[in-house]
Amino acid sequence: MFGAALGDIVGSKYEFMPIKSKDFVFLDDGMDYTDDTIMTVAVAEALIDSDISKEEETKNNLIASMRKWGRRYPHPTGAYGSMFSSWLRSSSPKPYNSWGNGSAMRVSASGWLYDTIEETRKAAMLSSIVTHNHIEGIKGAEATASAIFLARTGEDKESIKRYIEKKFGYDLSRKIEEIRETYSFDGSCQGTVPESIICFLEGIDAEDTIRNAISLGGDADTMGAIAGSIAEAYWKEDLSEMVKPYLPDDLYTILSSIKITQH
């Protein structure tokens, strides 16, 4: 869970100042958490308190938690997306058929809380469809959560790659160097999730993975969050102390609680 927050924080500086290099200061005072971390916390809190076999109840919990945390932090660094902002303010929030990567950036808890990949994918799907009910939005959330689950439970990189390619149809055969040459900002799941997973596959640890993601010059905070969440699970790194100075206590506490409930 801290991997998602760390990638978000490091990437926050480069979302609107894209960089095409891994050579940058990893953490500095110009970085901050964004809506990615806030909504990661919101989804985590909702799933901890939900029985995902009760789908409507779980969806209601997710909606309530996202709206609660969105009201608590209404003006994050980088701001909420326009459609999500409208959803947060609506008196009757409905999904809006989005394929944006917001569904993947917030899904980390699904990869940590469950004993099976089927449960993991179901929780990811439920966390997506309350807003991002387009097939690509759902796929991005499920793929990210599946990679976290497989990494957490000891699968090697090749097994993770094969599963994601087979189940979700993403092309993970590309290399970071070739992607970086032509890549630019892309807010879609289909244009960021596979690239973020590739950044993990080529990484040597969590920091290197996050550097890979940011160096593509795209949606840096979200891609950092996606890649960082997988890397943390794979290398079993404790990233909490790196994140703690940047987070308010309430956000940090929810992220810490996942460490207690993880299997």
Side-chain angles (χ1 to χ4, degrees):
M1 291 295 294
F2 288 110
L6 180 61
D8 175 39
I9 291 164
V10 177
S12 66
K13 186 173 181 176
Y14 301 104
E15 181 179 10
F16 303 109
M17 295 190 303
I19 186 171
K20 291 283 189 174
S21 168
K22 293 173 65 173
D23 184 15
F24 55 85
V25 176
F26 193 66
L27 285 169
D28 67 28
D29 292 341
M31 297 170 181
D32 199 1
Y33 68 93
T34 79
D35 59 314
D36 298 41
T37 297
I38 296 167
M39 287 301 122
T40 294
V41 165
V43 169
E45 183 181 67
L47 291 179
I48 288 169
D49 293 335
S50 297
D51 176 354
I52 60 170
S53 67
K54 300 175 181 177
E55 294 189 10
E56 289 304 313
E57 180 180 301
T58 300
K59 288 191 290 184
N60 288 336
N61 288 346
L62 286 158
I63 292 167
S65 186
M66 288 184 202
R67 286 161 65 80
K68 180 186 85 171
W69 287 96
R71 288 192 296 269
R72 187 175 297 184
Y73 292 97
H75 303 294
T77 295
Y80 296 108
S82 59
M83 294 177 72
F84 187 73
S85 292
S86 296
W87 183 88
L88 284 175
R89 296 191 301 269
S90 173
S91 59
S92 180
K94 304 295 182 185
Y96 44 89
N97 200 38
S98 175
W99 61 83
N101 55 22
S103 62
M105 76 185 190
R106 69 193 188 205
V107 79
S108 303
S110 301
W112 286 98
L113 290 172
Y114 304 100
D115 292 322
T116 69
I117 200 159
E118 292 78 16
E119 292 174 301
T120 293
R121 289 183 59 175
K122 181 174 183 178
M125 176 273 292
L126 292 172
S127 74
S128 177
I129 62 174
V130 293
T131 53
H132 294 56
N133 58 333
H134 188 282
I135 188 171
E136 292 293 346
I138 297 167
K139 185 164 74 170
E142 287 195 32
T144 301
S146 296
I148 295 168
F149 175 86
L150 293 170
R152 173 174 70 87
T153 54
E155 297 292 338
D156 61 24
K157 287 185 178 181
E158 185 56 36
S159 297
I160 296 170
K161 178 177 179 288
R162 284 198 305 268
Y163 183 89
I164 300 299
E165 287 183 324
K166 179 179 179 181
K167 297 295 184 180
F168 302 103
Y170 289 151
D171 177 9
L172 304 182
S173 66
R174 296 165 294 154
K175 299 299 182 184
I176 291 172
E177 288 293 338
E178 64 183 89
I179 296 170
R180 189 185 289 123
E181 288 182 6
T182 58
Y183 194 77
S184 59
F185 189 94
D186 188 327
S188 71
C189 274
Q190 57 270 39
T192 54
V193 173
E195 288 77 8
S196 299
I197 296 173
I198 289 169
C199 289
F200 153 69
L201 293 172
E202 289 196 35
I204 60 173
D205 56 21
E207 178 176 331
D208 188 58
T209 294
I210 292 168
R211 287 183 182 276
N212 285 341
I214 291 167
S215 78
L216 294 183
D219 191 356
D221 58 332
T222 294
M223 296 180 76
I226 294 168
S229 65
I230 304 167
E232 177 192 24
Y234 186 78
W235 282 287
K236 311 295 191 291
E237 295 179 73
D238 184 355
L239 307 174
S240 58
E241 291 305 309
M242 298 178 76
V243 168
K244 190 172 185 179
Y246 292 87
L247 295 183
D249 289 344
D250 54 355
L251 297 178
Y252 185 85
T253 297
I254 298 296
L255 295 180
S256 298
S257 72
I258 297 291
K259 297 182 69 175
I260 297 170
T261 57
Q262 71 184 2
H263 299 288

